[in-house]
Each structure stands twice: as C-alpha cells, then as structure tokens.
C-alpha cells in the first residue's frame, strides 16, 4: 500500500542561491517557516513575501545570520504574531544583528530619500522600524540543544548543534502520527570541523526528508594547519616591513575565531611587538556573548583557555584593545607600525574597514588579510582580484598594500565534510539541496551519488514536495 502523504515542504528562498533562506512546512493544518532570511544584495520588491505573513503559525530559526533571520521584522510588520523558536545562543545574538541591520537600512534609506528629494521624486517609507524589531525579539522562545519542544498539533522540534556559529542548529522535526509520522531534518548551515571554538556538527541517523545546505558543495577548504602557517608568515613579513595588518572580518564567528587564534600565537610567543585592535562595536558586543556562552564552545578550546587561566577572549589575548568609539577608531590612524586591526565589514561593503583603507591602502608596508569569501562585485573581491586603484569617499586611492587571502577560516563545511554528514543517515532519506550557487549544488549532487549512492534533488525556488 502506498504511503500516506500529508505534509508539504515548499522552497521559498536560498534555492540555487546562498542567501534568503526560507522554507515553508505545512502539516496538521498549520504553516511553519524554516528560517526567514534576507536576500543580501537585493532590495525592495525582492524582500517581499510570497505568502501572507499573518497566516504563518510559527518560525523555526536555524541561526542568527541575517541571510537566515533578517526578514523577521518585515514578517512581524506584515502581521505575523506566532512564536519564533531558536536556541539560546541565537536568542542572544539576534538583538545585536537585527538592531545593527535596522540602523544600516535606515541610514541607506535616508541617503536614498535625500537623492529622491533633490530629483523631485516621491520619498520612500521604511518597510519596518525599531518597534517591529522589538516585537520580533519578544516572540522568541529559546530552547536548549537536544530538548524536545511541541511547536503545534502533531509537530515536535529538536535542535542539534550545527557547529557553524554560536547557537547554530540543525533542525529535526517530527510530524504526524502512525502512518503519517515523518521526520524532516534541515541542516541549517553546517560548520567547518577544522576551525576553532565551535563543536563538530551533530551527525544524525534517521530522517525521511533531509534539506541540506551546499554552500561549498563543489570544493574543499585549505588545510587549517596550512592556513595558520601562512598567517604566521604574513605576521613575519609585516613585522619586517615595519607596517600594520588590516583584517576585514564579519562580527559573528570569524572575529572570535581570529581572536582565539591570535591568543594562541600570543602564548606561543609569536605576537611579540604586536597590538591587536578590534575596531567594531558590533564585534565587541558579539564577543561578549561568546564569552558568556563559552559552555557551548568545543571542549578542546575551553580546556586551552583554562590552561592559561583565561575566562574571556580578552584575557586570552592580553594585547587586545576593543575600540568602541569613533574617536578611538580615528586614533588608530596615528599608529605607525605593529598594529593588527580587525574591522567590519567582512567583504568591505561598509563599516570601519573602509576608513582604514582610506588611510593605509596606499602604504607599501600595509598588509591586508582576507579571511573569508569575497562575493562578486564587493570591494573585497575587487582588491583580491588585484586592482591597482579604488575610489573611496569620493577620493581615488592607489592600492600599494600587499593583499593576502587565507582559505581555511571558513565557518561552512567543505564538500567532503558535507558528504560525510549526509552519509551518516542510515534511513535512506530523500535529499534536497539548498543554500548554494547552482554549480556548487549540482557538483554536490553528483558527488553524493558517486560516493554514497545518495540521490539528491537541487531545489528550485517556488517548488514543493509532499511526504
């Protein structure tokens, strides 16, 4: 007898693209969203919903990154009043991210309206505001990893550690009963086991349907040990040049990973003569949350911190200064040498790093170190590609600094790590691949079949499946 199919899954975002994570699950007469992320680089119409927000009963959030959470305030503005289920780590990071995103959005909106006013065009109204952000945060219901939580009629939820950033989760949903009982697993973003701080992603065994990310489905990362050796070589070269090091880094995950690795180098005597500056108010706030929740770190790294009697990343890296104010940031321009300046944004699309570029990119003894993926069209990608001249703040700036890229700091699982995670399932589930560019997902699908005889479907936006 054919199995009864009473549950439906629709792919509404991050289908053959790496942003806008959003999937609709319908079961027991209710509608649930897995993630509600922004499409980064898109505006206006592209951020609107393909459904009525008021008709959504609950949101299940894999983690705090904006491409998974950033449209939540718009969802609330549209009438959503249900619960938002997330981990404790996500609940603590979400206020920092959503408030910062709102500030940047309103700043850009003011700039656009100034341009429109001068041109005699109609002004734009904000699509959401601080009240929507506060209402969003009030709807969050945090739960610990491994704790079963009832979400709705016939729907139970468990979060497992995804090892991506603090609070990141693999979502396990149990729905229906008897003949209609099904298990859906959503990977969220799986972490890179070779990096520091976060534990390895939890491996699950049973599911009927698996929705898996494939951001790096077409390649593996460089060895982390090789990456650290290369980082040490950059430090030596910059010291010999009598210069400074600029590191564009994302405030969540990458910044804390860098502080930890620099802490290890400090205790190994490899940072003599260097001062480290975290020039990012958001990065500082996130680092505090990481310190408060160090119980969620990898046990190996907690032990290392204890060995040096350090309770926080700041204690672990004594030569660290966190520059909160604009005045403190400006004062860094007077530092002639020996400074490692970590500042946002990670792809140099905004933030304080652009101001440091203005003052130092033209200096031959400046070293710029990229520790993350640089998307096409971003200033970071342009610099990595070897441009000789850029325009910043209305000025033309020569690029004389030495540009370095370190390939092992990614917080995403590489291809082989994705394959290993998928192969751990013993129940022969149906696989759907999301959160990756088309070529990466197609390559991953072929590798899943050739190595493990797992047949995976590359999800397309707007498509749906019954199970």
């Amino acid at each position: 007898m054919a199995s009864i199919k009473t549950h439906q899954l629709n792919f509404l975002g991050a289908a053959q693209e790496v942003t806008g994570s959003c999937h609709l699950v319908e079961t027991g007469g209710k509608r649930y969203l897995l993630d509600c992320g922004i499409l980064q680089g898109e505006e206006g119409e592209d951020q609107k919903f393909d459904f009525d927000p008021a008709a959504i009963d609950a949101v299940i959030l894999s983690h705090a990154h904006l491409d998974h959470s950033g449209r939540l305030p718009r969802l609330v503005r549209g009438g959503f009043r249900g619960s938002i289920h997330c981990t404790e780590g996500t609940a603590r990071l979400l206020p920092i991210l959503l408030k910062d995103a709102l500030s940047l959005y309103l700043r850009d909106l003011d700039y656009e309206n100034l341009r429109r006013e001068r041109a005699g065009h109609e002004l734009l109204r904000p699509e959401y505001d601080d009240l929507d952000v506060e209402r969003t945060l009030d709807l969050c219901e945090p739960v610990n990893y491994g704790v079963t939580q009832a979400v709705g009629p016939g729907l139970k939820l468990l979060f497992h550690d995804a090892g991506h950033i603090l609070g990141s989760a693999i979502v396990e949903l149990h729905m229906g009963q008897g003949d209609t009982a099904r298990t859906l697993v959503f990977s969220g973003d799986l972490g890179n086991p070779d990096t520091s701080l976060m534990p390895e992603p939890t491996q699950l065994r049973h599911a009927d349907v698996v929705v898996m990310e494939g951001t790096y489905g077409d390649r593996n990362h460089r060895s982390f040990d090789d990456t650290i050796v290369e980082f040490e070589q950059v430090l030596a070269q910059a010291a010999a040049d009598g210069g400074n090091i600029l590191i564009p880094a994302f405030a969540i995950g990458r910044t804390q990973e860098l502080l930890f690795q620099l802490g290890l180098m400090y205790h190994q005597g490899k940072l003599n003569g260097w001062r480290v500056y975290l020039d990012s108010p958001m990065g500082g706030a996130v680092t505090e949350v990481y310190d408060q929740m160090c119980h969620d770190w990898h046990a190996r790294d907690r032990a290392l911190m204890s060995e040096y009697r350090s309770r926080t990343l700041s204690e672990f890296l004594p030569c660290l200064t966190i520059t909160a104010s604009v005045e403190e940031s400006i004062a860094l321009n007077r530092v002639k040498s020996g400074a490692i300046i970590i500042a946002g944004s990670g792809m140099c699309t905004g933030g304080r790093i652009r101001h440091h570029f203005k003052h130092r990119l033209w200096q031959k003894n400046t070293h710029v170190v990229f520790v993350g993926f640089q998307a096409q069209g971003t200033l970071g990608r342009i610099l990595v590609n070897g441009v000789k001249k850029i325009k910043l703040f209305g000025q033309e700036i020569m690029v004389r600094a030495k540009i370095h890229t370190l390939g092992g700091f990614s917080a995403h699982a590489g291809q082989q790590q994705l394959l290993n995670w998928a192969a751990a399932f013993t129940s022969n589930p149906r696989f759907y691949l999301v959160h990756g560019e088309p070529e990466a997902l197609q390559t991953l699908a072929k590798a899943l079949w050739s190595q493990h005889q797992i047949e995976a479907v590359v999800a397309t936006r707007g498509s749906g499946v019954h199970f």
Side-chain angles (χ1 to χ4, degrees):
M1 187 172 72
S3 62
I4 302 170
K5 298 181 178 181
T6 60
H7 320 288
Q8 183 165 342
L9 169 66
N10 290 86
F11 304 103
L12 304 181
Q16 301 190 53
E17 57 192 341
V18 293
T19 63
S21 180
C22 187
H23 313 294
L24 176 65
V25 174
E26 297 183 62
T27 183
K30 301 290 184 179
R31 311 180 89 205
Y32 308 94
L33 286 186
L34 291 173
D35 286 349
C36 189
I38 60 170
L39 285 85
Q40 288 166 315
E42 305 290 344
E43 299 176 1
E45 295 294 324
D46 293 304
Q47 302 292 1
K48 294 186 177 176
F49 299 105
D50 302 326
F51 52 84
D52 178 8
I56 300 300
D57 294 285
V59 176
I60 299 163
L61 197 58
S62 68
H63 65 287
H65 275 150
L66 290 176
D67 61 325
H68 294 257
S69 71
R71 282 197 294 172
L72 285 172
R74 287 179 168 91
L75 193 75
V76 169
R77 169 64 74 94
F80 171 72
R81 295 297 180 267
S83 51
I84 300 172
H85 301 269
C86 61
T87 65
E88 180 66 34
T90 295
R92 293 203 196 185
L93 291 175
L94 211 53
I96 301 171
L97 267 86
L98 293 185
K99 290 176 182 179
D100 181 73
L102 174 64
S103 175
L104 294 175
Y105 167 65
L106 293 178
R107 184 199 67 187
D108 291 345
L109 186 67
D110 285 343
Y111 178 82
E112 174 62 20
N113 278 338
L114 183 62
R115 189 186 67 81
R116 283 172 168 261
E117 188 175 33
R118 288 170 177 166
H121 296 153
E122 183 180 355
L123 302 186
L124 299 174
R125 297 173 62 84
E127 295 177 10
Y128 71 101
D129 56 25
D130 54 352
L131 182 58
D132 297 312
V133 171
E134 292 302 329
R135 285 174 175 166
T136 298
L137 298 174
D138 288 343
L139 295 175
C140 288
E141 296 185 9
V143 64
N144 291 330
Y145 292 119
V147 176
T148 301
Q149 182 181 40
V151 177
L155 181 64
K156 293 181 180 179
L157 159 70
L158 281 91
F159 285 125
H160 304 277
D161 201 330
H164 175 57
I165 62 168
L166 187 73
S168 61
I170 298 163
V171 177
E172 181 179 351
L173 295 178
H174 295 276
M175 53 192 77
Q177 296 179 345
D179 290 341
T180 67
R182 302 286 185 275
T183 299
L184 183 151
V185 169
F186 170 45
S187 71
D189 284 355
L190 296 171
N192 178 0
D194 292 340
T195 55
S196 306
L197 298 187
M198 293 298 99
E200 294 186 8
T202 307
Q203 288 192 323
L204 303 185
R205 299 289 183 262
H206 175 77
D208 296 292
V209 173
V210 176
V211 180
M212 186 174 84
E213 70 113 329
T215 310
Y216 287 93
D218 57 347
R219 58 196 185 277
N220 291 308
H221 301 305
R222 187 174 185 187
S223 154
F224 192 68
D225 289 341
D226 289 347
T227 296
I228 296 302
V229 169
E230 187 177 356
F231 194 9
E232 292 172 355
Q233 290 170 347
V234 172
L235 286 170
Q237 188 179 354
D241 290 343
N244 297 292
I245 296 174
L246 304 179
I247 308 179
F250 293 108
I252 297 181
R254 202 63 50 87
T255 288
Q256 292 72 40
E257 166 94 7
L258 282 167
L259 296 180
F260 181 80
Q261 291 299 329
L262 287 166
L264 286 177
M265 292 179 187
Y266 174 88
H267 291 289
Q268 293 164 355
K270 296 175 180 177
L271 281 189
N272 294 335
W274 287 101
R275 292 288 310 175
V276 180
Y277 298 92
L278 175 53
D279 192 25
S280 166
M282 184 177 171
V286 170
T287 300
E288 285 186 22
V289 176
Y290 266 70
D291 287 335
Q292 293 161 6
M293 298 196 66
C294 62
H295 53 270
D296 278 354
W297 295 10
H298 198 297
R300 171 201 62 216
D301 298 328
R302 292 202 310 271
L304 271 170
M305 295 271 287
S306 297
E307 185 181 329
Y308 292 102
R309 299 180 181 179
S310 303
R311 294 165 299 169
T312 67
L313 286 166
S314 294
E315 289 181 357
F316 192 51
L317 182 57
C319 61
L320 171 68
T321 300
I322 299 176
T323 52
S325 70
V326 173
E327 290 75 22
E328 289 173 307
S329 178
I330 293 172
L332 296 181
N333 297 331
R334 297 193 290 271
V335 178
K336 299 298 183 185
S337 63
I340 301 171
I341 301 172
I342 303 169
S345 66
M347 295 186 190
C348 314
T349 54
R352 293 183 176 180
I353 194 65
R354 293 166 72 93
H355 293 274
H356 292 300
F357 281 171
K358 174 185 174 182
H359 290 278
R360 299 195 185 275
L361 209 53
W362 49 270
Q363 297 175 343
K364 290 182 179 179
N365 62 352
T366 294
H367 292 252
V368 180
V369 179
F370 288 97
V371 293
F373 179 76
Q374 303 299 310
Q376 193 71 37
T378 62
L379 176 56
R381 181 64 168 268
I382 291 167
L383 289 169
V384 166
N385 286 345
V387 70
K388 300 300 181 186
K389 189 169 26 179
I390 64 170
K391 195 167 187 179
L392 268 182
F393 308 111
Q395 297 179 24
E396 220 171 52
I397 299 170
M398 299 300 297
V399 180
R400 296 193 179 95
K402 297 178 179 68
I403 309 295
H404 310 267
T405 58
L406 301 182
F409 276 105
S410 177
H412 279 270
Q415 185 195 63
Q416 191 57 53
Q417 293 157 344
L418 290 169
L419 293 171
N420 294 343
W421 186 81
F425 286 92
T426 58
S427 57
N428 194 29
R430 296 156 61 186
F431 273 80
Y432 296 90
L433 303 183
V434 298
H435 208 283
E437 297 294 340
E439 184 177 343
L441 298 182
Q442 292 290 353
T443 302
L444 179 60
K446 291 176 183 175
L448 283 166
W449 177 253
S450 64
Q451 293 192 31
H452 301 293
Q453 288 70 58
I454 293 173
E455 189 172 356
V457 174
V458 175
T460 57
R461 189 171 179 179
S463 65
V465 296
H466 293 270
F467 58 99

